[in-house]
Amino acid sequence: ICDDDFGQRIGSGGAILNAIGRFYGECQKLIVINCGGFSKRTVSCAVKGKAFAQIVNKKRVETLFQYILENSLLLASGFEKGALVACSDILVDTSSLEVDLSQSAGFGICCDLETGTQHGVMVKNEEEKLVRFLHKTDAETLKKSAADKNGQVTVDTGLVYLDDGLVNALIDIIKTHRVPDLVKSGSVEMNFYSDVMPLLGQVIDEEK
């Protein structure tokens, strides 16, 4: 458990980078489950948090956290170093996934445009590299910028693998630009999916 109560909203990016910066030196294989949020749409989960809401899985009662952790562990068996980031309110069954985790990767699912307007959408090039990340964007923009030939878009699942090179580059940026101090002061709020996700598969520009 990594506490990130700094008296300010630090955003999902600030919380995840705080966890990576704090623990990646102790071990070089992390699973980070983002459990933030106010549960505004699921008020009944506000006391314990969405991550600890109960579900029935294969006739067994368990929490979302247990399900996500079990599936994250399956995926984590595919890499030696790096950080796997998961979202606590999105369930992804990884048991049948066959993926190459030799480099950073984001996991998405094909959806219609209307669904895409309510979520983060990955914009890929012809080589399946992520080039942009659109967050809750209108349908017309998605159609022009992100839709495939069938009119579908790739919606982010919250599941992201950051390879060792990207993790260390992020840690260097955190230290060089004193990101924790900026976040704690309230002058910077980072969204992991719109601010960090676009770095997947790209050369990091520290100024940006």
Side-chain angles (χ1 to χ4, degrees):
I1 298 175
C2 184
D3 181 18
D4 50 31
D5 183 5
F6 300 125
Q8 301 282 353
R9 283 183 59 87
I10 63 174
S12 56
I16 291 168
L17 292 184
N18 175 59
I20 289 174
R22 182 172 171 183
F23 292 113
Y24 199 68
E26 298 177 15
C27 61
Q28 291 186 305
K29 188 173 186 176
L30 291 181
I31 294 175
V32 182
I33 301 177
N34 185 16
C35 297
F38 294 115
S39 301
K40 290 182 178 179
R41 288 174 292 184
T42 50
V43 181
S44 60
C45 299
V47 176
K48 291 184 178 181
K50 292 175 288 186
F52 300 98
Q54 292 187 326
I55 59 172
V56 177
N57 177 35
K58 298 178 181 178
K59 299 182 179 180
R60 182 183 67 178
V61 177
E62 61 184 12
T63 64
L64 296 180
F65 183 84
Q66 288 173 295
Y67 182 92
I68 294 165
L69 180 58
E70 289 172 2
N71 279 276
S72 296
L73 286 169
L74 289 175
L75 206 56
S77 64
F79 65 90
E80 294 298 323
K81 295 181 179 181
L84 182 67
V85 177
C87 189
S88 64
D89 56 0
I90 301 177
L91 303 181
V92 181
D93 182 0
T94 65
S95 60
S96 59
L97 283 180
E98 295 182 7
V99 293
D100 175 14
L101 293 180
S102 59
Q103 59 184 346
S104 297
F107 295 80
I109 183 170
C110 289
C111 295
D112 59 72
L113 286 174
E114 186 58 35
T115 300
T117 62
Q118 303 299 314
H119 300 277
V121 170
M122 301 176 182
V123 182
K124 304 171 293 180
N125 61 18
E126 294 179 355
E127 298 176 344
E128 294 293 303
K129 295 286 187 181
L130 182 69
V131 292
R132 291 177 65 196
F133 188 87
L134 303 175
H135 190 62
K136 295 183 178 179
T137 306
D138 63 272
E140 189 60 32
T141 301
L142 291 180
K143 185 176 181 179
K144 292 179 180 178
S145 305
D148 61 19
K149 60 183 180 180
N150 297 315
Q152 292 193 312
V153 293
T154 303
V155 169
D156 162 52
T157 64
L159 193 60
V160 185
Y161 167 61
L162 308 176
D163 65 23
D164 181 60
L166 181 51
V167 170
N168 282 305
L170 290 172
I171 290 174
D172 287 342
I173 291 174
I174 291 170
K175 292 178 179 178
T176 303
H177 298 281
R178 302 180 67 83
V179 172
D181 293 336
L182 293 173
V183 169
K184 292 174 188 177
S185 70
S187 59
V188 172
E189 182 180 332
M190 298 181 66
N191 184 301
F192 178 77
Y193 300 98
S194 60
D195 294 331
V196 180
M197 280 280 285
L199 297 176
L200 298 184
Q202 299 184 33
V203 175
I204 293 180
D205 182 323
E206 290 198 18
E207 293 304 316
K208 290 183 180 179

